[in-house]
Amino acid sequence: MATIAPEASAWVAASGAPPIELDALSHDYGARQALRHLSFTVDAREIFGLLGPNGSGKTTLFRILSTLMLPSGGHARIAGFDVGASPQQVRARIGVVFQARSIDLKLTVAENLMHAGHLYGLSGKPLRRRIDEVLDRVLLRDRAKDFVETLSGGMQRRVELAKGLIHSPAVLLLDEPSTGLDPGARRDLWQYLRTLRDEDGVAVLVTTHLMEEAEHCDRLAILNAGELVALGTPGMLKSSIGGDIVALETRGPAEAQALRTRLRQRFGAEGTVLGSSVRVEHAQGHRFVTSAVEAFPGVIEGLSVQKPSLEDVFIQRTGHRFWQERGPEAEPDALTREQEAHEGFKEAL
Ligand code: ADP
């Protein structure tokens, strides 16, 4: 197994290249296009979210960035190094936290980190010092000698994080980091990520299918079926929708289609039919609702007026809901593929 020399994140920042850069990145699995011409950059001191429903291409992109898979087209660069052409240089600069557990339950926290450090060519005093540092970061220094199996799920995830940071990476990649964590542990995790961003200048990329998690990110790329459908801060994306989101509930999909047509004819309002409801963006939602109910008595069975959410951004850009009828269980083998990915990464080191 080859080891790679660690590099300080300061060195990477000095190179001037963005921590992460995608340039018309594409990936196909046979005839299936999983990623289509993605181009964006992630800056230092930024928590960047990759938000998309299942099947949108998050795992594929995560695997490409963590050097486990070559893209079919375009380029992905970490601190200026192409993931395909210079994988060793890339691996020295990224910390990866997979969804599946990668730490050994039968070892202590410190032993796990010791092994991780050895993989990156660290040893002796510098490694011991670094272990103390990363455990301080995740507030687990007092648990260094404890067996991992005795820690809570949230603490184990923090050990994963410490492991991903052992070689002082400039870029931290986390796949669905909140999975399996209770609300308190989630909050703590996000606090650690912000500390890494603010105090260590790390660029953090998080994949997620959770809107609430995406809200915590500084910027987001929203993916749908492998395409970038929105890019910006959560606030900016939401305010790109003019005004309120009005949902008018009817008896069924056919009635919703009919109402959509009538709303256009009567008010010039462009609605989107989602199941049995019609969704309309309107600058003055409450006024519009009153007019619509008066104009079409007996047609509207229920209604809501809300401020735009990230899901509304998704609907506006794609014309459908974030979760389609098939739901999250549509990709049953996702975790298995994730487990394989983690094994592959260990091998690659
Ligand atoms: P996400 O992580 O957002 O759920 P994925 O990257 O896993 O998305 O998948 C993107 C698309 O590529 C999906 O249509 C998925 O079925 C397909 N896909 C993913 N991995 C493979 C694979 N190993 N072989 C064939 N198709 C795949």
Side-chain angles (χ1 to χ4, degrees), residues 29 32 34 53-60 331 337:
Y29 295 103
R32 180 178 288 158
N54 284 338
S56 57
K58 302 181 299 296
T59 307
T60 302
E331 298 272 326
R337 288 205 309 268

Side-chain angles (χ1 to χ4, degrees), residues 39-41 46-51 214-223 228-240 310 313 317:
S39 295
F40 59 81
T41 57
E46 177 169 57
I47 300 180
F48 188 92
L50 210 54
L51 172 69
E215 293 275 0
H216 291 291
C217 297
D218 298 322
R219 269 195 319 143
L220 288 175
I222 304 184
L223 295 184
L228 181 67
V229 295
L231 181 71
T233 68
M236 196 187 99
L237 292 174
K238 288 185 285 187
S239 63
S240 70
L310 286 174
V313 175
R317 307 288 166 103

Side-chain angles (χ1 to χ4, degrees), residues 126-297:
L127 176 55
R128 284 200 297 279
R129 204 170 45 232
R130 183 64 190 154
I131 289 174
D132 286 346
E133 272 171 22
V134 290
L135 287 180
D136 274 342
R137 269 278 171 267
V138 298
L139 300 185
L140 279 178
R141 186 133 171 214
D142 58 330
R143 310 300 292 262
K145 295 200 170 87
D146 291 6
F147 288 102
V148 169
E149 63 187 355
T150 66
L151 304 182
S152 70
M155 287 177 183
Q156 290 183 9
R157 193 60 61 86
R158 276 145 64 186
V159 180
E160 295 280 357
L161 193 56
K163 183 179 164 192
L165 295 170
I166 198 78
H167 56 301
S168 310
V171 174
L172 183 66
L173 308 173
L174 298 113
D175 196 13
E176 307 272 352
S178 292
T179 306
L181 296 185
D182 61 46
R186 278 184 190 194
R187 248 193 330 270
D188 290 348
L189 176 80
W190 278 86
Q191 194 47 54
Y192 305 130
L193 296 183
R194 283 190 281 268
T195 307
L196 282 174
R197 173 195 65 188
D198 299 340
E199 293 183 19
D200 300 339
V202 173
V204 180
L205 180 134
V206 171
T207 71
T208 186
H209 61 265
L210 304 173
M211 303 284 171
E212 55 170 74
E213 189 154 71
E215 293 275 0
H216 291 291
C217 297
D218 298 322
R219 269 195 319 143
L220 288 175
I222 304 184
L223 295 184
N224 178 52
E227 268 181 286
L228 181 67
V229 295
L231 181 71
T233 68
M236 196 187 99
L237 292 174
K238 288 185 285 187
S239 63
S240 70
I241 296 179
D244 303 317
I245 302 296
V246 174
L248 303 172
E249 191 65 34
T250 67
R251 235 162 275 138
E255 285 82 358
Q257 287 292 357
L259 177 61
R260 177 176 175 270
T261 307
R262 295 172 79 186
L263 287 169
R264 188 196 295 131
Q265 288 165 348
R266 181 75 179 260
F267 300 107
E270 277 306 326
T272 307
V273 172
L274 298 166
S276 59
S277 71
V278 183
R279 181 187 163 283
V280 178
E281 293 163 20
H282 201 279
Q284 291 168 308
H286 287 95
R287 273 201 200 160
F288 176 72
V289 159
T290 311
S291 310
V293 170
E294 279 172 7
F296 311 118

Side-chain angles (χ1 to χ4, degrees), residues 4-61:
I4 44 182
E7 299 277 0
S9 27
W11 186 92
V12 176
S15 75
I20 302 177
E21 185 179 20
L22 306 189
D23 178 6
L25 188 78
S26 298
H27 192 74
D28 303 331
Y29 295 103
R32 180 178 288 158
Q33 278 190 296
L35 298 176
R36 306 174 194 215
H37 284 85
L38 299 186
S39 295
F40 59 81
T41 57
V42 177
D43 300 325
R45 297 184 190 281
E46 177 169 57
I47 300 180
F48 188 92
L50 210 54
L51 172 69
N54 284 338
S56 57
K58 302 181 299 296
T59 307
T60 302
L61 178 53

